Amino acid sequence: VTENKGDTIPWPYFSIPARRQYGSVTYQKGSFKIRTKASLLTDQFDDMSFSGNPLKGDGSLAIKVESVTGSGFNSRGGIMIRECMNPASKYVWLTIGKGSGTKPVEFSYRERATATRIVRATDTVKAFSWLKLERKNNLFTASISQDGKIFQIADTVSIPMIESVWLGVMAITTV
């Protein structure tokens, strides 16, 4: 991922499912702000806002989540790799939720289209943190960092995905 020095959005925005156009994304001075009224990722079908680009083969993205707001108890934002924009797509995500004091961190995935979502690693952090999601072949690694330099692995999972996937930032409710 290359840094965009201007204020134009470097990646396209998607409402998932596409029939619900209820969000927006802005990009300014290296920061994304995603607004959404999407309810949440359900076990089998996604309802969220996503901004990303195709990733062919291996790659990674590290972001700093600076705030999460919203009225929903499960408001969260973070990084996602998904096979396609279909709401039942395979995916892997690493997110931080809202909270006072410690913030909930979640690593979850869907290993087959329309399969039940699996939450495998949950943790908490004392402040908003850096998140990193990496793909090497079909191995996905989720890592967390307080300083953006030294990352600790939170979890890994192996999920067969096609070579060209989508990598980007996502939100449910408002981030």
Side-chain angles (χ1 to χ4, degrees):
V1 178
T2 58
E3 184 179 345
N4 183 320
K5 302 286 185 191
D7 289 341
T8 57
I9 299 168
W11 302 334
Y13 168 80
F14 300 91
S15 282
I16 301 172
R19 70 181 184 283
R20 299 175 117 182
Q21 296 296 318
Y22 43 43
S24 65
V25 63
T26 56
Y27 180 84
Q28 199 170 39
K29 298 180 182 168
S31 293
F32 283 94
K33 185 172 189 174
I34 301 175
R35 294 193 175 272
T36 184
K37 292 181 183 175
S39 57
L40 70 118
L41 249 62
T42 63
D43 283 341
Q44 295 175 314
F45 299 98
D46 307 340
D47 187 8
M48 72 164 117
S49 292
F50 178 85
S51 182
N53 260 339
L55 169 67
K56 186 173 182 178
D58 297 341
S60 67
L61 177 62
I63 64 168
K64 182 176 184 187
V65 177
E66 294 181 351
S67 69
V68 177
T69 60
S71 58
F73 73 94
N74 199 22
S75 297
R76 51 184 55 253
I79 309 171
M80 175 176 262
I81 297 175
R82 55 185 305 119
E83 201 167 58
C84 64
M85 293 303 142
N86 182 309
S89 173
K90 295 179 193 179
Y91 74 83
V92 176
W93 82 348
L94 180 63
T95 62
I96 292 181
K98 73 175 189 173
S100 57
T102 59
K103 315 290 185 235
V105 176
E106 181 181 291
F107 176 60
S108 66
Y109 58 91
R110 184 180 299 125
E111 57 192 346
R112 292 183 330 276
T114 70
T116 300
R117 174 175 80 120
I118 297 171
V119 177
R120 220 172 60 190
T122 57
D123 200 350
T124 57
V125 291
K126 292 182 181 176
F128 289 106
S129 299
W130 287 83
L131 304 177
K132 182 178 177 182
L133 196 54
E134 180 177 16
R135 178 188 189 182
K136 287 187 181 174
N137 296 314
N138 288 322
L139 183 67
F140 298 88
T141 303
S143 303
I144 304 168
S145 173
Q146 291 300 310
D147 61 9
K149 297 174 185 167
I150 300 171
F151 284 85
Q152 300 294 321
I153 294 175
D155 208 343
T156 61
V157 66
S158 181
I159 300 174
M161 284 197 195
I162 59 176
E163 183 181 18
S164 290
V165 295
W166 288 86
L167 169 65
V169 294
M170 55 75 56
I172 52 177
T173 64
T174 303
V175 175

